[in-house]
Amino acid sequence: VSEFPAPDRPAASRRGFLAAAAGAMAGVGAEFALRNSADAATTNVPTSRPAESTVEPFFGPRQGGILTPLQNHTYFAAFDLTAAHREDVVELLQTWTTAAARLAAGLPAETISKDIDQPAADTGETMGLPPSRLTITFGFGPGLFIKQGKDRYGLASRRPPALIDLPAFSGDQLVQAKTGGDLSIQACADDPQVAFHAVRQLSRLAYDSAQLRWAQTGFLPSFAKGQTPRNLLGFKDGTNNPATTNSAAMEKFVFIGDEGPAWMRGGSYLVMRKIRLALEHWDRMNVKFQEQTLGRQKYAGAPLNGKNEFDAVDVNAVDKDGNAIYPDTSHVSLANPANNNGARILRRPYSYNDGVNFTSERWPPWRQGMEYDAGLLFISYQRDVRSSFVPMFDKMSKLDMLNQFATHVGGGFFAIPRGVSEGQWIGQGLFEKV
Ligand code: HEM
């Protein structure tokens, strides 16, 4: 499906777009179910590739990009609202919804006119590219509801209690200019240019009402179907996620139920943390120490108490002499549900690489010099951070052996509204009179 003008083909009509998009989406729905069930036995990370379609559905009770099998690339952007009035925010969200649905279907952001005396309705860098399983996930930060004590849009009383101001955590080195935001957009796609393009179009359409605060690219390896991607520490990451095919677990741990306002039911809460990893330091550690730090075997990806990647984690396991197998301060030990009142989160992590920087390490041997500015974009979805991410990370930030190698330098916390059906716009219920 392409609406870009081609010499031999007139631009498709709006009706053509809707039919094409609906067709593509219906096809994807059926295929999607099949794909997920085929994978359920082998992996807990959403890893599979579509056979025929490169379109992920935009419309539905849940936003795309949460349960969607991981795409290879992400472009995450946070915006500050500059709009003076509530109506301008409504208009922005309406425009964004329409454009995002088009982009996900592989269409230009808006219908292209042949009038070359006007700026183009789409910047054009995805001409000729497939939709690449693009998903666009919108989020609302605390600043949409109240900012510096000001109720700019009359929404303060509608702020969900679960959208807390995250506490400061031990060791946080968050750079303010790269933290927070009133709105977030995460574009994920199998092609980096498709992901960048999506954010660029939405940012362009927001010219008069919001501006970019920070943005971050991330990537994953081109892992084979059924495999778990490795992060820059060289470890498989995502193995012990709750399975996205387990809808009971997703309802319990990820999606908002009756406890939330109607516009959030079927939505979630997103924590994003940009975590710099001291790769030079890590690379000098022996493998056994790395395994003790994370609480996982490096090569097999198996738990310390098992042999194969998907063997069950038992953080209380002991060896034949009765000694604990997991250090109390290993990453997995601190993160496991057994030590978190059963809490679970759905991680959807990407790696990032921002080149090199002059860096002073925070841990022995306190190296100073040019080091990688690379690491992990920790992205997690959970139903309520107050009983999951916050207590879990509070403990980790103080005790995790991984802290010697990890510095949190930015990120944000966003309410992810429920998905929309055609004709609706993102966050609509939040703005409607009760
Ligand atoms: C420093 C950056 C981080 C890296 C490199 C990292 C890496 C890993 C790896 C390799 C695993 C084991 C494989 C797996 O089950 O996925 C894991 C597990 C896990 N991580 Fe992280 N992680 C990081 C930060 C975090 C943070 C900030 C949290 C949440 C507060 C977190 C929560 C979890 C959870 C819940 C598990 C599963 C534990 C289990 O039950 O087995 N991680 N992580």
Side-chain angles (χ1 to χ4, degrees):
V1 182
S2 175
E3 235 185 51
F4 287 112
D8 56 346
R9 186 155 43 127
S13 64
R14 169 88 188 150
R15 183 181 297 170
F17 148 62
L18 288 175
M25 285 164 190
V28 167
E31 179 219 12
F32 194 66
L34 274 177
R35 255 195 284 147
N36 280 343
S37 60
D39 272 1
T42 49
T43 180
N44 285 341
V45 227
T47 53
S48 58
R49 294 277 174 278
E52 314 86 40
S53 176
T54 60
V55 179
E56 289 291 346
F58 176 77
F59 296 110
R62 296 185 181 120
Q63 292 199 62
I66 305 174
L67 300 184
T68 310
L70 280 164
Q71 299 94 325
N72 285 127
H73 297 274
T74 191
Y75 196 76
F76 196 110
F79 292 79
D80 283 330
L81 279 161
T82 53
H85 307 290
R86 178 183 173 121
E87 299 72 48
D88 303 328
V89 181
V90 167
E91 201 183 315
L92 172 67
L93 294 172
Q94 289 171 338
T95 306
W96 271 4
T97 307
T98 308
R102 291 175 58 88
L103 291 164
L107 300 171
E110 295 177 297
T111 308
I112 303 261
S113 139
K114 289 203 170 154
D115 179 0
I116 60 169
D117 291 326
Q118 298 290 326
D122 185 289
T123 54
E125 69 268 31
T126 53
M127 283 179 77
L129 294 179
S132 307
R133 301 198 309 119
L134 173 69
T135 52
I136 296 170
T137 316
F138 294 102
F140 297 165
L144 171 65
F145 299 88
I146 189 152
K147 194 156 189 179
Q148 286 151 1
K150 282 202 192 122
D151 184 2
R152 292 182 293 172
Y153 310 118
L155 296 172
S157 63
R158 296 228 169 166
R159 177 177 176 172
L163 185 64
I164 56 170
D165 291 316
L166 280 188
F169 295 97
S170 179
D172 271 359
Q173 306 259 315
L174 305 182
V175 176
Q176 276 319 303
K178 298 200 170 179
T179 302
D182 302 336
L183 299 173
S184 69
I185 295 179
Q186 185 182 17
C188 296
D190 286 330
D191 184 303
Q193 192 145 312
V194 169
F196 177 82
H197 170 261
V199 170
R200 181 178 178 197
Q201 305 317 300
L202 298 174
S203 165
R204 191 172 52 79
L205 293 168
Y207 196 79
D208 293 319
S209 42
Q211 62 187 22
L212 278 166
R213 178 176 175 84
W214 54 269
Q216 181 65 49
T217 54
F219 61 92
L220 287 176
S222 310
F223 46 94
K225 185 174 173 170
Q227 290 199 343
T228 309
R230 289 180 187 269
N231 61 30
L232 297 184
L233 300 181
F235 278 68
K236 293 188 177 196
D237 198 339
T239 304
N240 208 16
N241 253 338
T244 51
T245 45
N246 180 345
S247 35
M250 294 299 103
E251 296 304 329
K252 182 168 179 202
F253 296 115
V254 179
F255 294 111
I256 314 303
D258 289 344
E259 77 278 16
W263 61 273
M264 279 299 288
R265 278 175 222 149
S268 188
Y269 288 94
L270 161 69
V271 176
M272 196 283 197
R273 309 279 287 190
K274 179 175 176 179
I275 307 176
R276 183 183 170 273
L277 292 169
L279 298 179
E280 289 85 352
H281 188 189
W282 179 255
D283 294 346
R284 298 176 73 81
M285 300 297 118
N286 66 53
V287 173
K288 184 154 188 208
F289 178 79
Q290 293 187 346
E291 293 186 336
Q292 295 277 304
T293 300
L294 277 166
R296 279 254 161 205
Q297 295 174 38
K298 181 158 186 159
Y299 302 119
L304 292 185
N305 61 288
K307 257 200 182 136
N308 300 311
E309 182 184 355
F310 292 100
D311 289 350
V313 173
D314 176 6
V315 290
N316 298 314
V318 290
D319 65 16
K320 58 179 178 5
D321 302 320
N323 295 318
I325 292 179
Y326 288 80
D328 288 346
T329 53
S330 78
H331 183 65
V332 161
S333 224
L334 293 164
N336 191 260
N339 290 329
N340 289 285
N341 290 323
R344 306 198 73 182
I345 60 179
L346 179 66
R347 291 166 292 132
R348 213 171 180 277
Y350 282 86
S351 292
Y352 80 88
N353 167 25
D354 287 354
V356 292
N357 256 328
F358 187 86
T359 308
S360 302
E361 286 300 348
R362 297 191 299 133
W363 293 83
W366 294 291
R367 188 170 189 264
Q368 293 191 5
M370 294 305 285
E371 296 206 340
Y372 288 114
D373 186 355
L376 186 94
L377 305 180
F378 170 86
I379 294 167
S380 73
Y381 288 94
Q382 48 272 303
R383 186 169 174 174
D384 194 331
V385 290
R386 295 170 296 183
S387 53
S388 58
F389 176 82
V390 171
M392 188 187 285
F393 185 56
D394 180 55
K395 204 166 37 136
M396 267 182 196
S397 67
K398 294 170 183 146
L399 301 173
D400 197 336
M401 286 163 79
L402 194 55
N403 292 343
Q404 298 166 74
F405 308 95
T407 308
H408 290 230
V409 293
F413 178 43
F414 302 96
I416 304 297
R418 52 168 285 120
V420 291
S421 40
E422 248 179 287
Q424 298 179 324
W425 42 280
I426 205 82
Q428 184 167 350
L430 168 63
F431 293 85
E432 280 169 350
K433 299 260 178 298
V434 264

